[in-house]
Amino acid sequence: EDQVTQSPEALRLQEGESSSLNCSYTVSGLRGLFWYRQDPGKGPEFLFTLYSAGEEKEKERLKATLTKKESFLHITAPKPEDSATYLCAVQEGSSNTGKLIFGQGTTLQVKP
Amino acid sequence: SAVISQKPSRDICQRGTSLTIQCQVDSQVTMMFWYRQQPGQSLTLIATANQGSEATYESGFVIDKFPISRPNLTFSTLTVSNMSPEDSSIYLCSAKRLTGRNTEAFFGQGTRLTVV
């Protein structure tokens, strides 16, 4: 069964303290791994799509990397405005339906 | 990025009634989906909205309870029928677009539904 597990569930950082969020997945062929940011009361905001092991993508203080079993979202020198829930989702390769399977998310709090 | 307009943004409904949620995308997209997100939880796919044909439902979701329409490439509706308090949740519309080799999947702001 396809599965997506994110860790940690919650993370508290001081402003400027870099860290990484983990997304482990088990799928029968990966068609794409998606990262989102979600603020309270809002819909998820698309960040990145990664397709193959070794791929990396960056956006401001965020950098996403992908291996055959997991993805990391690295946050460099975070600021309080980076506080949000970060969601990871996968699209498995054998399906043409395009549906995404989501992890439970990591709630990040960055203190000034 | 595609802009997805979803309305209403929130509603409080009486049990036994129905609510229709609308989703409009600002550009043509390949696929549209409806998700549910219960408080403190992640997203669960309800169904894929297929243009001009019946939606494809996930296990645990049925057409009689969640009828979906998608009359064209940029518009879809989800109806939550015969509501009960257990239907209280956030309902999210999503659209997927292929840009070259890249796939981008966007979400609306969600509809926060409370059933009393």
Side-chain angles (χ1 to χ4, degrees):
Chain A
E1 181 182 335
D2 298 337
Q3 202 165 8
V4 180
T5 304
Q6 290 186 248
S7 61
E9 288 186 17
L11 182 62
R12 285 186 175 183
L13 299 174
Q14 288 295 129
E15 184 172 3
E17 178 187 1
S18 302
S19 188
S20 295
L21 283 54
N22 178 264
C23 172
S24 298
Y25 62 90
T26 306
V27 294
S28 52
L30 180 70
R31 182 166 283 193
L33 186 142
F34 297 74
W35 281 100
Y36 292 88
R37 169 192 171 126
Q38 187 174 28
D39 293 299
K42 295 191 175 182
E45 175 191 344
F46 173 75
L47 294 174
F48 308 108
T49 309
L50 302 169
Y51 298 95
S52 56
E55 188 174 1
E56 298 183 353
K57 288 190 176 175
E58 289 188 66
K59 180 179 180 180
E60 297 180 356
R61 294 178 291 282
L62 301 177
K63 178 178 167 182
T65 62
L66 181 64
T67 73
K68 289 186 178 180
K69 294 184 178 181
E70 57 192 349
S71 176
F72 292 94
L73 185 64
H74 307 276
I75 303 177
T76 302
K79 298 182 178 182
E81 52 262 42
D82 294 322
S83 298
T85 296
Y86 291 85
L87 297 167
C88 166
V90 299
Q91 180 182 349
E92 58 106 7
S94 64
S95 168
N96 289 324
T97 64
K99 69 179 184 181
L100 301 182
I101 302 167
F102 279 83
Q104 293 299 309
T106 293
T107 299
L108 172 65
Q109 183 180 26
V110 182
K111 294 189 172 183
Chain B
S1 61
V3 175
I4 301 179
S5 300
Q6 189 175 333
K7 59 180 181 182
S9 58
R10 58 177 62 225
D11 207 342
I12 300 173
C13 300
Q14 296 289 324
R15 68 175 66 200
T17 63
S18 298
L19 175 72
T20 295
I21 303 168
Q22 297 182 2
C23 176
Q24 177 73 54
V25 187
D26 70 343
S27 59
Q28 291 193 347
V29 293
T30 54
M31 305 186 82
M32 294 182 74
F33 306 88
W34 288 96
Y35 287 83
R36 182 169 74 183
Q37 186 175 30
Q38 297 186 305
Q41 306 265 328
S42 192
L43 282 71
T44 300
L45 181 65
I46 297 172
T48 302
N50 299 310
Q51 185 198 355
S53 64
E54 190 172 292
T56 303
Y57 290 85
E58 296 299 304
S59 176
F61 298 97
V62 295
I63 188 171
D64 289 345
K65 177 67 175 177
F66 298 101
I68 288 170
S69 77
R70 187 181 174 191
N72 58 54
L73 283 173
T74 61
F75 184 79
S76 178
T77 66
L78 167 74
T79 299
V80 186
S81 303
N82 188 24
M83 289 183 283
S84 66
E86 292 71 37
D87 295 321
S88 297
S89 189
I90 298 172
Y91 292 85
L92 291 153
C93 171
S94 174
K96 187 174 286 189
R97 183 175 65 189
L98 290 174
T99 308
R101 287 188 65 249
N102 290 324
T103 300
E104 298 172 318
F106 304 97
F107 284 83
Q109 290 301 296
T111 296
R112 183 180 295 272
L113 171 63
T114 302
V115 183
V116 297

